[in-house]
Amino acid sequence: MALRKYLSGTGLIGTITSGYALLRGANAQTFTWRTALGWVSWGITFALTIGTILDIRKASRGRPVSDDSPIKGKESKYYSPQAADKDVAKRTRR
């Protein structure tokens, strides 16, 4: 279940697929402003996906997420007592 919440809820599959399509098309075209715009767009999408994954991880451990997070207000959906216990145990060992 842990991996499923990242794959289905964050758009990771779509981000990887679009990056692969851009990479395949990079060989066939010259580098123009449209190509650059496509790569910039993919980079922004990838950064947002990673940010969402980090927010889901925080919420699953019972930590607060940012106000601008897409999962703000839905933290209870991702909360896992087992993950929170692991996080507390890891913090006390330090």
Side-chain angles (χ1 to χ4, degrees), residues 1 6 10 29 72:
M1 172 151 168
Y6 298 123
T10 61
Q29 19 176 309
K72 181 68 175 176

Side-chain angles (χ1 to χ4, degrees), residues 25-89:
N27 290 336
Q29 19 176 309
T30 59
F31 192 78
T32 63
W33 66 272
R34 289 183 181 119
T35 307
L37 192 60
W39 281 107
V40 167
S41 173
W42 179 81
I44 292 169
T45 304
F46 185 70
L48 289 172
T49 301
I50 298 301
T52 303
I53 288 172
L54 293 175
D55 284 345
I56 289 173
R57 184 178 168 118
K58 283 181 187 177
S60 70
R61 295 169 186 244
R63 293 169 156 173
V65 295
S66 303
D67 290 335
D68 62 348
S69 174
I71 65 165
K72 181 68 175 176
K74 304 176 208 163
E75 292 95 337
S76 61
K77 176 181 174 184
Y78 298 103
Y79 180 71
S80 168
Q82 293 87 8
D85 291 342
K86 286 180 187 177
D87 194 41
V88 169

